[in-house]
Amino acid sequence: MTNPTAAMIVIGDEILSGRTRDSNMNHLAKELTQHGVELCEARVVSDDRAAIVQAVRDLSGCYDHIFTSGGIGPTHDDITADSVAEAFGDHIDIRDDARKLLMDYFESRGVEATEGRMRMARIPDSATLIDNPVSIAPGFTIRNVHVMAGVPAVFEAMVASVLPGIKGGAPLLSQTLRIDRPEGEVAGPLRKLAETYPDVSIGSYPFNDKGAFGTNIVIRGQDGASVDAAMIALCEEFPNP
Amino acid sequence: MTNPTAAMIVIGDEILSGRTRDSNMNHLAKELTQHGVELCEARVVSDDRAAIVQAVRDLSGCYDHIFTSGGIGPTHDDITADSVAEAFGDHIDIRDDARKLLMDYFESRGVEATEGRMRMARIPDSATLIDNPVSIAPGFTIRNVHVMAGVPAVFEAMVASVLPGIKGGAPLLSQTLRIDRPEGEVAGPLRKLAETYPDVSIGSYPFNDKGAFGTNIVIRGQDGASVDAAMIALCEEFPNP
C-alpha cells in the first residue's frame, strides 16, 4: 500500500535572507509522518508572485497534498492568497464568511477593522476556510493546496485543523540503533542489510559525542514485521553497539 | 547592479520525515547575504537519485550558483555524488587526488580504509575538490554546483572554503525598526512607504512579546542612502514605535 504524498512550500524572503530560521517544515514533517502521509519535497520561495505561482503549479500536479506557510497576513508583502488564486485561475476578493469571522473578532476585542486587516479576508471563490483558533484570520484549502500562516503558533494550529480531514495511510514505523562506531566501519554491513531487506529504508546518521564518532541507524517502513526483522539482523551484525 | 543568484538543495530523508531539523539552510542564507549573493530558492529532496538529478538540472540552469548539502558520506544511502555526476552526464569513480587525501588521513589516524570510506573519494571527472578541514573527505564543485556534506560542522567548513572563490555583489543592507503595535495597524502606512521607496524591500514580521502584539519592520536594499531614506520616513510615520 502506498501512502498519500505531500509537498510543502515555505514562502518568505526572511527565510532566504537568513533573518528567520524556519520551524514550520520540521513541525509539518513530523505531523505528516505520524499521520501516514509522505512528505516528498519542500521548497522555500521568496515573496514573489511569479515564484509562488510557479511552485504551486509545479507541485500541485505531482503530489496528493500541498501545504504552504507564510504570506497571508495584513501587510503589502503578504501576497500568498492572491498568488495561489492566480495559480488556479480563480477569482479572489474579500469573502463574506471570512469578513464575518474577522469583524466579530475585531468587535469583541475593540480592534479597528483597518484596510490591512480586512486583506486577511481575501479568499479565492472556490476555497474552503481553514480554522484558526489562535488569531481567527483563516487559512484556506483550494483544490489540493492548504494555505496557512507563517507564524509558528498559527501554522501549527492550522495544521491541527486540516489534518483530521486528510486521509492518512499507514504511519511510517521507525526503529533506531545507536552504534558507537564511525560510519565508515558500519557502511559495509549496512549495505548488505539494505539489499537483504528491500522493503524497509535504512538510514545512517553520523554523530560526534564528546569527540567520539558514532552512527545512528534508523530503519523505517510501513510493515512492522519487516522493520522488526531488519532490526534483529542489524543487532546480530553489531552485538556490541 | 544585480547581485549573483543562488539556490540550495538539501538532500535527506531524515529532514523530510522530521527526524532531523535542518540548520544548513539558515547558515548558508546568512553567509550568502553577507557575501552579496542572493539566495533565491531552496529545495529539500529525498535520498532518491531521480529527485536529486531533477533538482540539479532544474536549478543549475536558473541560478549562478547551486549549493547542495548531504549525502556524500560512506554509506549506501549516500548517493549525492553519483546523482550530481549523472545530472551532468559526467563519469564518476574513485579519483586519485581524493584517494590520496583520504589514505594519508586514515594512515595518520590508524583507521582502516574500508570500501565504505573509499566511496568518499568518488568524484566526477570534471569536478574540483572542496577543502574539508574538519574530516578531510572532500566536497566538490562541478560546473556551478557546489556539493557539500550534511553534517553541520563539515557543511559550514566547506562553505567557508568555497565562498572566497565566489564573486559576490554588494552586501544586502538591512535596518530594523521594532514597533509595539500589531501588524494590522501598521499595514496601511507601510504599503504607502513601499510605493514611495520602490528600490528597497520592506518586510513586516509580527511577533508576540508577553501577550502584546508587535511588528518588526525590516528595510533591505543594496543602496545605503535609499535604505536610510526609507528608514527615516518610517520613523517619522511612527514617532513613538
Side-chain angles (χ1 to χ4, degrees):
Chain A
M1 198 197 68
T2 313
N3 276 357
T5 57
M8 181 177 190
I9 306 173
V10 177
I11 297 155
D13 290 349
E14 72 278 18
I15 312 287
L16 291 167
S17 75
R19 181 183 179 279
T20 302
R21 191 185 289 266
D22 166 71
S23 69
N24 292 334
M25 190 188 299
N26 185 254
H27 176 79
L28 181 69
K30 284 182 190 163
E31 292 291 316
L32 289 178
T33 297
Q34 203 155 21
H35 198 69
V37 175
E38 189 188 357
L39 182 61
C40 300
E41 182 176 348
R43 294 192 187 176
V44 185
V45 302
S46 65
D47 296 310
D48 175 80
R49 183 181 281 248
I52 300 169
V53 168
Q54 189 67 47
V56 169
R57 286 187 181 154
D58 281 0
L59 295 174
S60 62
C62 296
Y63 302 104
D64 296 323
H65 293 280
I66 310 299
F67 299 85
T68 82
S69 153
I72 60 169
T75 56
H76 65 283
D77 55 339
D78 291 306
I79 59 170
T80 296
D82 285 69
S83 303
V84 174
E86 182 181 329
F88 291 128
D90 201 4
H91 174 260
I92 183 168
D93 204 341
I94 293 179
R95 223 171 71 173
D96 288 343
D97 49 356
R99 187 210 314 257
K100 180 164 184 348
L101 280 176
L102 287 172
M103 292 303 289
D104 289 352
Y105 180 64
F106 295 156
E107 271 170 31
S108 75
R109 297 170 68 103
V111 160
E112 192 193 349
T114 59
E115 190 187 327
R117 288 203 172 103
M118 293 319 294
R119 272 173 60 79
M120 297 190 286
R122 290 180 68 79
I123 306 284
D125 286 356
S126 67
T128 55
L129 301 186
I130 294 175
D131 194 29
N132 168 10
V134 173
S135 51
I136 304 305
F140 61 84
T141 296
I142 177 170
R143 302 205 200 178
N144 63 342
V145 180
H146 311 285
V147 176
M148 300 182 288
V151 175
V154 181
F155 178 80
E156 292 168 19
M158 287 182 173
V159 170
S161 299
V162 165
L163 274 192
I166 290 178
K167 194 178 150 56
L172 193 66
L173 305 171
S174 91
Q175 293 187 28
T176 300
L177 181 69
R178 175 185 160 132
I179 301 179
D180 283 325
R181 290 163 66 178
E183 232 188 348
E185 291 180 15
V186 303
L190 268 197
R191 169 180 295 278
K192 280 181 207 132
L193 202 71
E195 285 162 5
T196 310
Y197 296 92
D199 54 343
V200 300
S201 109
I202 303 179
S204 154
Y205 306 106
F207 63 82
N208 189 313
D209 187 0
K210 295 169 192 145
F213 288 97
T215 310
N216 279 310
I217 310 299
V218 182
I219 299 179
R220 297 186 192 90
Q222 282 172 28
D223 178 48
S226 301
V227 173
D228 284 346
M231 182 50 82
I232 288 166
L234 178 66
C235 291
E236 281 169 359
E237 187 72 49
F238 297 99
N240 303 301
Chain B
M1 196 196 69
T2 313
N3 277 357
T5 57
M8 179 176 191
I9 307 173
V10 176
I11 296 154
D13 290 348
E14 73 279 17
I15 312 286
L16 292 168
S17 76
R19 182 184 178 278
T20 303
R21 191 184 289 265
D22 167 71
S23 69
N24 293 333
M25 190 188 299
N26 185 255
H27 176 81
L28 182 69
K30 285 181 190 160
E31 292 292 315
L32 290 179
T33 298
Q34 203 155 22
H35 198 69
V37 176
E38 189 189 356
L39 182 61
C40 301
E41 181 176 349
R43 294 191 187 178
V44 185
V45 302
S46 65
D47 297 309
D48 174 80
R49 183 181 281 249
I52 300 169
V53 167
Q54 188 67 48
V56 169
R57 286 186 182 156
D58 281 0
L59 295 174
S60 63
C62 295
Y63 302 104
D64 296 322
H65 293 281
I66 310 299
F67 299 84
T68 81
S69 154
I72 61 169
T75 57
H76 65 283
D77 56 338
D78 290 308
I79 59 170
T80 297
D82 285 70
S83 304
V84 174
E86 181 181 329
F88 291 127
D90 201 4
H91 174 260
I92 183 169
D93 204 342
I94 292 178
R95 222 171 73 173
D96 288 344
D97 50 356
R99 186 210 315 259
K100 181 164 183 347
L101 280 175
L102 286 173
M103 292 302 290
D104 289 352
Y105 180 63
F106 295 156
E107 271 169 32
S108 74
R109 296 170 69 101
V111 160
E112 190 193 348
T114 58
E115 191 188 325
R117 287 200 172 104
M118 293 318 294
R119 271 173 60 79
M120 295 190 288
R122 289 179 69 79
I123 305 284
D125 287 357
S126 67
T128 56
L129 301 186
I130 295 175
D131 195 29
N132 167 9
V134 174
S135 53
I136 304 306
F140 61 84
T141 295
I142 176 169
R143 304 206 200 176
N144 63 341
V145 180
H146 311 285
V147 176
M148 301 184 286
V151 176
V154 181
F155 178 81
E156 291 168 19
M158 287 182 174
V159 169
S161 299
V162 166
L163 273 192
I166 289 178
K167 192 176 151 56
L172 192 67
L173 305 172
S174 91
Q175 292 186 29
T176 300
L177 181 69
R178 174 185 161 133
I179 301 179
D180 284 325
R181 290 164 66 178
E183 231 187 350
E185 291 181 14
V186 304
L190 268 196
R191 169 180 295 276
K192 279 182 209 131
L193 202 72
E195 284 162 5
T196 311
Y197 297 92
D199 54 342
V200 300
S201 110
I202 302 179
S204 154
Y205 307 106
F207 64 82
N208 189 314
D209 188 358
K210 295 169 193 144
F213 289 97
T215 311
N216 279 310
I217 309 300
V218 182
I219 299 179
R220 299 186 191 89
Q222 280 172 29
D223 178 47
S226 300
V227 173
D228 284 346
M231 182 49 84
I232 288 166
L234 178 66
C235 291
E236 281 169 0
E237 187 72 49
F238 297 99
N240 302 302

